[in-house]
Amino acid sequence: SQQGEEDPQALSIQEGENATMNCSYKTSINNLQWYRQNSGRGLVHLILIRSNEREKHSGRLRVTLDTSKKSSSLLITASRAADTASYFCATGFQGGSEKLVFGKGTKLTVNP
Amino acid sequence: EPEVTQTPSHQVTQMGQEVILRCVPISNHLYFYWYRQILGQKVEFLVSFYNNEISEKSEIFDDQFSVERPDGSNFTLKIRSTKLEDSAMYFCASRGTSVNTGELFFGEGSRLTVL
């Protein structure tokens, strides 16, 4: 079954540094998405990258996708304390399936 | 900005009781979902709903679960006889009309505690 798995599980950095999170999955995908979740809150969509795309940018976010390695990375540049949250990759919409399959997430702490 | 709203934010219930969780998706969306997240674990897909019927469900979504869109705005998840292991955060989500848009909009969640 397709499954997004992020690493590291936890990441602690200083404000201003870059944060890189990785995601691996097992099967072919239609797209891969990254979501953010503040503690105890809902998930917020950050960025979607399609299987025919290799890189995408949105503000301070940069996502790459390597379908040959079945992996993706999320880079947050110039991190801020407000970026502290859990970040999840989700794979989905393959073969007509409606479901997104989420990974376990990376808990990012940005220290001021 | 349009948002998905969920009620209640927290519900405590006794094992065996029925629970209904309510959601108001974004008004022009046509695809609706329920996901759940047990504390400290992954977000898991429960069910998707389109054109007034279930389009896909997971193995978690057994006969104890049902969904309904009773009117043009609400989307509900019912658990008929709650078990301890149903304790989790339940998230409603909706998606826009374009088949190429995979982005889901999630609500803030309803925390269910089964005692």
Side-chain angles (χ1 to χ4, degrees):
Chain A
S1 61
Q2 61 187 34
Q3 193 172 33
E5 296 292 346
E6 296 88 342
D7 82 88
Q9 290 186 359
L11 181 61
S12 181
I13 59 174
Q14 295 299 123
E15 217 167 18
E17 292 180 341
N18 295 342
T20 299
M21 289 159 269
N22 302 296
C23 169
S24 61
Y25 57 92
K26 295 181 180 177
T27 64
S28 297
I29 59 172
N30 176 283
N31 64 66
L32 186 143
Q33 305 178 38
W34 285 90
Y35 286 82
R36 166 195 167 126
Q37 183 182 36
N38 284 14
S39 181
R41 305 291 298 275
L43 293 120
V44 176
H45 182 266
L46 295 176
I47 197 164
L48 180 154
I49 187 165
R50 303 195 188 284
S51 58
N52 61 352
E53 296 176 311
R54 291 296 165 260
E55 188 171 311
K56 204 161 182 180
H57 296 254
S58 176
R60 293 184 296 114
L61 305 181
R62 173 179 167 249
V63 168
T64 62
L65 179 65
D66 186 334
T67 52
S68 66
K69 295 181 179 177
K70 292 188 168 57
S71 67
S72 173
S73 67
L74 171 68
L75 168 68
I76 304 174
T77 60
S79 63
R80 306 165 182 166
D83 295 328
T84 295
S86 290
Y87 292 82
F88 297 88
C89 71
T91 55
F93 305 104
Q94 179 68 15
S97 172
E98 276 292 321
K99 70 179 180 186
L100 289 183
V101 178
F102 284 83
K104 290 183 180 177
T106 293
K107 186 166 184 175
L108 174 66
T109 303
V110 182
N111 302 299
Chain B
E1 188 172 323
E3 59 180 17
V4 175
T5 58
Q6 290 186 242
T7 55
S9 56
H10 189 191
Q11 180 153 358
V12 180
T13 190
Q14 295 292 325
M15 193 169 55
Q17 295 296 303
E18 176 183 283
V19 160
I20 297 176
L21 305 178
R22 292 182 167 80
C23 170
V24 179
I26 294 173
S27 62
N28 64 344
H29 284 185
L30 295 180
Y31 300 85
F32 313 114
Y33 308 85
W34 284 100
Y35 284 77
R36 79 170 187 192
Q37 186 179 33
I38 295 171
L39 187 64
Q41 297 188 25
K42 291 185 182 185
V43 177
E44 300 174 291
F45 169 79
L46 291 178
V47 66
S48 60
F49 192 87
Y50 170 72
N51 200 24
N52 284 320
E53 62 182 20
I54 291 173
S55 51
E56 189 173 351
K57 60 183 181 180
S58 71
E59 60 275 9
I60 302 168
F61 194 88
D62 62 21
D63 292 345
Q64 293 300 311
F65 290 87
S66 62
V67 289
E68 199 176 39
R69 188 157 160 83
D71 53 43
S73 58
N74 290 286
F75 179 51
T76 62
L77 174 69
K78 181 193 290 186
I79 309 174
R80 268 183 263 284
S81 178
T82 50
K83 305 170 195 163
L84 295 176
E85 55 264 36
D86 293 328
S87 294
M89 183 76 96
Y90 288 81
F91 293 105
C92 174
S94 67
R95 182 162 73 89
T97 56
S98 168
V99 294
N100 293 320
T101 302
E103 174 185 356
L104 297 193
F105 292 81
F106 283 84
E108 289 291 331
S110 292
R111 180 172 297 284
L112 176 64
T113 302
V114 183
L115 303 177

